[in-house]
Amino acid sequence: MSIVIAALLLAGQPPRPDTLTVLIAYHSRGGHTAQLARAVEDGAKKAGAEVKTKNVSDVTCAELRDADALVVGSPVYWSNMAGEVKAFFDRWTNECQVLPPAFPMRDKVGAAFVTGGEVSSGKEIALMTMLAAMLGNRMIVVSEGQALGATATTGDGKQPLAEGELREGRALGERVAHVAKALKRGR
Amino acid sequence: MSIVIAALLLAGQPPRPDTLTVLIAYHSRGGHTAQLARAVEDGAKKAGAEVKTKNVSDVTCAELRDADALVVGSPVYWSNMAGEVKAFFDRWTNECQVLPPAFPMRDKVGAAFVTGGEVSSGKEIALMTMLAAMLGNRMIVVSEGQALGATATTGDGKQPLAEGELREGRALGERVAHVAKALKRGR
Amino acid sequence: MSIVIAALLLAGQPPRPDTLTVLIAYHSRGGHTAQLARAVEDGAKKAGAEVKTKNVSDVTCAELRDADALVVGSPVYWSNMAGEVKAFFDRWTNECQVLPPAFPMRDKVGAAFVTGGEVSSGKEIALMTMLAAMLGNRMIVVSEGQALGATATTGDGKQPLAEGELREGRALGERVAHVAKALKRGR
Amino acid sequence: MSIVIAALLLAGQPPRPDTLTVLIAYHSRGGHTAQLARAVEDGAKKAGAEVKTKNVSDVTCAELRDADALVVGSPVYWSNMAGEVKAFFDRWTNECQVLPPAFPMRDKVGAAFVTGGEVSSGKEIALMTMLAAMLGNRMIVVSEGQALGATATTGDGKQPLAEGELREGRALGERVAHVAKALKRGR
């Protein structure tokens, strides 16, 4: 992204005050994280938000700018988000920002969800790293579902997610939309 | 706290809509965390908040209920908050709550600050544990200063905090007040 | 503990070379963490260790000194170890050490296990805080079971632990003993 | 890597008993992490190890297999290791392993070091994610320098590392070699 476009980005139109835009950015290999992303989408829509659900690698700087809230989803590899999702966070600085210490995502609402193969093999540490990246970017962070966000255990990967896991996803989407709406109205 | 009082707590008067109350709860042994707490207080007051700054062990359930935002400060012992501060978080469930999974602190703004003896000896992990406790309680979490909150390095403990560290504290207090104000107005 | 005793502690007899002592220190309210502690004990005994299993508040400085390995267990409260377990770690410095930066537990093997009410409500973050305390004390840290240690989900608290959870505990105890034995022989 | 080579890898010759091999794998953009890597190397050599220091993207599965210990270094981006370093960890499973739940790096000694632009902006969380990946792989983890590993603050990036930071790196390298040597002798 050229400096000119990035400058326009920061000088860009503020999001419309009458709508709430929630961006859901995920990476999915086997389909489980995509399924949980759709549950998050359902929850956010139920709370009245306009929702865009996209693969992390397809998200543009303009979409980041226009979102009132961002929910990021990842499979868990070695107690951390997938490399693809880490690269997504790194792009915020490398591509979507004019000059540090500007924080283009400042004051947007952030949350995270993950899927992983075993009951407790790194899902929370992965969620925590995603929330830490958001906090470092000065986002406003919430959780729902489990302590740090929505989670699903995929086991051998052959079953769809359980209803309770989808419910966590919907609750996360709904909460993100509610908090973002209150913040937007109150500013 | 008796069940009756706890029930009243949850049924209690909502905080007055025209004021913003920030509660700063800290533990301090040598005085450095108290000094950083006062910087956080200065920042929150500058942003128009009414501020209560108290030792964690003196905070009541009513004060928790009445606060729009809570900023918790701790010295770092072994990459974690002090035992006194952990006990403060544990009291929320044991004393200030009627029935799980009610979250009495739900939707209040939360943030954290720490002081520690060495440059990088556990301060961030400690901040993260405090924010994780807040997220588990479904608070709305922000940072300022460093990635996860305000920090100060106390070295041999004989010097007052540096101006840059106090500035981090003030920035944290100011940001917490701004976000809490927007949320309160917008609900 | 007086300075004199503490000095003796550091100057004390080295552990006997022909035996391996594993200390399991846990806190348990409802009995689940105690049950997982016994599984860890079974695993360590199977690997030939002499095992002491004690409540954290009953562990003495001498027992810490004499142990070749320490496995700490805690219920999870708000994504962290219980206050009682945090106090146990804090006592190492306050009671069992002569002068910083001496690390009395340096080079001993450490590991952790936790029990918690929900599938992913803070267990890993709690394990991580326990391992971080050990690493800060310059212990040599291992895991087994889940990514960061053995875990059990207690649900409503009325059921005993599942066989798979006990198996995690035994695997953790066995691994700790094997690594500690190799280290002891090799020094 | 083909299945055949991977199978050979696991069936491969054990490392020679009379030497100790420490592999230092790092990513560096501006040169600071490379400088800290050389300090780690100096420390490990001082303790008698043969040391290979390589960029993460140049490390082969055979080099991972042959190492008795692995020290990983990364700059900190958003409270996490760099994407390049995360990709390095992910390759262990994708390229260097036959069948899960085999852990090819099991029982090797692991440690980490990081460099970052600000005093406390994510360095520890980044170290913790690297150690968590190692623990999930069933490595034996140690630290030295700061609580979770060696760290350096690069500020505006124009100064070389401070002597105290290099000393942390050397201490980490030395400790890793000592622990790995004892383990190797004792097995």
Side-chain angles (χ1 to χ4, degrees):
Chain A
M1 166 174 275
S2 74
I3 289 294
V4 176
I5 302 180
L8 286 173
L9 187 158
L10 279 182
Q13 297 287 336
R16 283 172 295 154
D18 51 338
T19 61
L20 184 80
T21 307
V22 174
L23 176 62
I24 301 171
Y26 70 94
H27 173 70
S28 189
R29 216 161 40 169
H32 285 105
T33 314
Q35 197 191 353
L36 193 50
R38 285 189 295 273
V40 176
E41 178 176 330
D42 289 344
K45 281 183 173 164
K46 194 182 147 199
E50 289 185 11
V51 184
K52 263 192 193 177
T53 303
K54 301 190 69 169
N55 192 291
V56 281
S57 48
D58 298 330
V59 173
T60 65
C61 294
E63 284 168 328
L64 285 171
R65 176 199 61 191
D66 289 343
D68 298 295
L70 172 68
V71 193
V72 181
S74 179
V76 178
Y77 302 145
W78 299 120
S79 300
N80 209 318
M81 61 185 107
E84 287 85 351
V85 181
K86 182 63 176 62
F88 169 65
F89 282 111
D90 291 351
R91 280 171 50 213
W92 298 8
T93 323
N94 299 337
E95 298 182 11
C96 304
Q97 185 170 298
V98 182
L99 287 175
F103 293 112
M105 297 300 285
R106 186 183 182 87
D107 287 332
K108 296 177 190 285
V109 173
F113 59 97
V114 294
T115 60
E118 291 169 68
V119 171
S120 177
S121 271
K123 287 204 286 283
E124 288 184 356
I125 306 289
L127 280 173
M128 194 269 301
T129 62
M130 295 159 81
L131 299 186
M134 291 175 173
L135 287 164
N137 275 284
R138 305 303 188 265
M139 294 179 71
I140 296 169
V141 166
V142 299
S143 76
E144 194 56 91
Q146 299 294 322
L148 300 183
T151 65
T153 301
T154 51
D156 65 1
K158 288 174 189 156
Q159 312 300 324
L161 301 190
E163 172 53 27
E165 294 169 333
L166 297 174
R167 202 160 41 225
E168 282 190 24
R170 288 191 292 265
L172 183 68
E174 202 171 340
R175 178 145 198 250
V176 164
H178 279 142
V179 171
K181 204 186 293 180
L183 270 167
K184 190 167 192 174
R185 256 199 311 253
R187 280 215 188 92
Chain B
M1 166 176 276
S2 74
I3 290 293
V4 176
I5 301 179
L8 285 173
L9 187 157
L10 278 183
Q13 297 286 335
R16 283 173 297 153
D18 52 337
T19 62
L20 184 81
T21 308
V22 173
L23 176 61
I24 300 171
Y26 71 95
H27 173 69
S28 189
R29 215 161 45 168
H32 285 105
T33 314
Q35 196 191 353
L36 193 49
R38 284 190 296 273
V40 176
E41 178 176 330
D42 289 345
K45 280 183 173 165
K46 194 182 147 200
E50 289 185 11
V51 184
K52 265 192 190 178
T53 304
K54 303 190 68 169
N55 192 293
V56 281
S57 48
D58 299 330
V59 173
T60 65
C61 293
E63 285 169 328
L64 285 171
R65 177 200 58 191
D66 290 344
D68 297 296
L70 171 69
V71 193
V72 180
S74 178
V76 177
Y77 300 145
W78 298 122
S79 301
N80 209 318
M81 62 185 105
E84 288 85 350
V85 180
K86 184 60 177 63
F88 168 65
F89 281 110
D90 289 351
R91 283 171 49 214
W92 298 8
T93 324
N94 299 337
E95 298 182 13
C96 304
Q97 185 169 299
V98 184
L99 286 175
F103 293 112
M105 297 299 284
R106 185 184 183 86
D107 287 333
K108 295 177 190 286
V109 174
F113 58 98
V114 295
T115 60
E118 291 169 69
V119 170
S120 177
S121 271
K123 287 204 285 284
E124 287 184 359
I125 306 290
L127 280 172
M128 193 271 300
T129 63
M130 296 158 82
L131 299 187
M134 292 175 172
L135 287 165
N137 275 284
R138 305 303 189 265
M139 295 179 69
I140 295 168
V141 166
V142 299
S143 77
E144 194 55 90
Q146 298 293 324
L148 300 182
T151 65
T153 301
T154 52
D156 65 2
K158 288 172 188 155
Q159 312 300 324
L161 300 190
E163 171 54 25
E165 294 169 333
L166 297 174
R167 200 160 42 223
E168 282 190 24
R170 288 192 292 266
L172 182 68
E174 202 172 339
R175 177 146 198 248
V176 163
H178 278 143
V179 172
K181 204 186 293 179
L183 270 167
K184 191 167 191 174
R185 256 200 310 253
R187 279 209 189 96
Chain C
M1 166 176 277
S2 76
I3 290 293
V4 176
I5 301 178
L8 285 173
L9 187 157
L10 278 183
Q13 298 286 335
R16 283 172 297 154
D18 51 338
T19 62
L20 184 81
T21 308
V22 174
L23 175 62
I24 300 171
Y26 71 95
H27 172 70
S28 189
R29 215 160 45 168
H32 285 105
T33 314
Q35 196 191 354
L36 192 51
R38 284 190 296 274
V40 176
E41 178 176 330
D42 289 345
K45 281 183 174 165
K46 195 182 147 200
E50 288 185 11
V51 184
K52 266 194 189 176
T53 303
K54 302 191 68 170
N55 193 292
V56 280
S57 47
D58 298 331
V59 173
T60 66
C61 293
E63 285 169 328
L64 285 171
R65 177 201 58 190
D66 290 344
D68 298 295
L70 171 69
V71 193
V72 180
S74 179
V76 177
Y77 300 146
W78 298 122
S79 301
N80 210 318
M81 62 185 106
E84 287 85 351
V85 180
K86 183 60 176 63
F88 168 65
F89 281 110
D90 290 351
R91 282 172 49 214
W92 298 7
T93 323
N94 300 336
E95 298 181 13
C96 304
Q97 185 169 298
V98 183
L99 286 174
F103 293 111
M105 298 299 284
R106 185 184 184 86
D107 286 333
K108 296 176 189 287
V109 173
F113 58 96
V114 295
T115 60
E118 290 169 71
V119 170
S120 177
S121 271
K123 286 204 286 283
E124 287 184 358
I125 306 289
L127 281 173
M128 193 271 300
T129 63
M130 296 159 81
L131 300 187
M134 292 174 172
L135 286 166
N137 276 283
R138 305 303 188 266
M139 294 179 70
I140 295 168
V141 166
V142 299
S143 76
E144 195 55 91
Q146 299 294 323
L148 300 182
T151 64
T153 301
T154 51
D156 65 1
K158 288 173 189 156
Q159 313 299 324
L161 300 190
E163 171 54 25
E165 294 168 333
L166 298 174
R167 201 161 40 224
E168 283 190 23
R170 288 192 291 266
L172 183 67
E174 202 171 340
R175 177 146 198 247
V176 163
H178 279 142
V179 171
K181 203 186 294 180
L183 271 167
K184 191 167 191 173
R185 255 199 312 252
R187 277 206 192 98
Chain D
M1 165 174 275
S2 74
I3 290 294
V4 176
I5 301 180
L8 286 172
L9 187 158
L10 280 181
Q13 297 287 334
R16 284 172 295 154
D18 51 338
T19 61
L20 185 80
T21 307
V22 173
L23 175 62
I24 300 171
Y26 71 93
H27 173 71
S28 188
R29 216 161 41 169
H32 286 104
T33 314
Q35 197 190 353
L36 193 50
R38 285 189 295 272
V40 176
E41 178 176 330
D42 288 345
K45 281 182 173 166
K46 195 181 147 198
E50 289 185 12
V51 184
K52 264 193 192 177
T53 303
K54 301 189 69 170
N55 192 292
V56 281
S57 48
D58 298 330
V59 173
T60 65
C61 294
E63 285 168 328
L64 285 171
R65 177 199 61 190
D66 290 343
D68 297 296
L70 171 69
V71 193
V72 181
S74 179
V76 177
Y77 302 145
W78 299 121
S79 300
N80 209 318
M81 62 185 106
E84 287 85 351
V85 181
K86 182 63 175 62
F88 169 64
F89 281 110
D90 291 351
R91 280 171 49 213
W92 298 7
T93 323
N94 299 337
E95 298 182 12
C96 305
Q97 185 170 298
V98 182
L99 286 176
F103 292 112
M105 297 299 285
R106 185 183 184 88
D107 287 332
K108 296 176 190 285
V109 173
F113 58 97
V114 294
T115 60
E118 291 169 69
V119 171
S120 177
S121 272
K123 286 204 285 283
E124 287 184 357
I125 306 289
L127 281 172
M128 194 270 300
T129 62
M130 295 159 81
L131 300 186
M134 291 175 172
L135 287 164
N137 275 284
R138 305 302 188 265
M139 295 178 70
I140 295 169
V141 166
V142 299
S143 76
E144 194 55 91
Q146 298 294 322
L148 300 182
T151 65
T153 301
T154 52
D156 66 1
K158 289 174 189 154
Q159 312 299 324
L161 300 189
E163 172 53 27
E165 294 169 334
L166 297 173
R167 202 160 41 225
E168 282 190 24
R170 288 191 292 265
L172 183 67
E174 202 171 338
R175 179 147 197 249
V176 163
H178 279 142
V179 171
K181 205 186 293 180
L183 271 166
K184 191 168 191 174
R185 256 198 311 254
R187 280 214 187 93

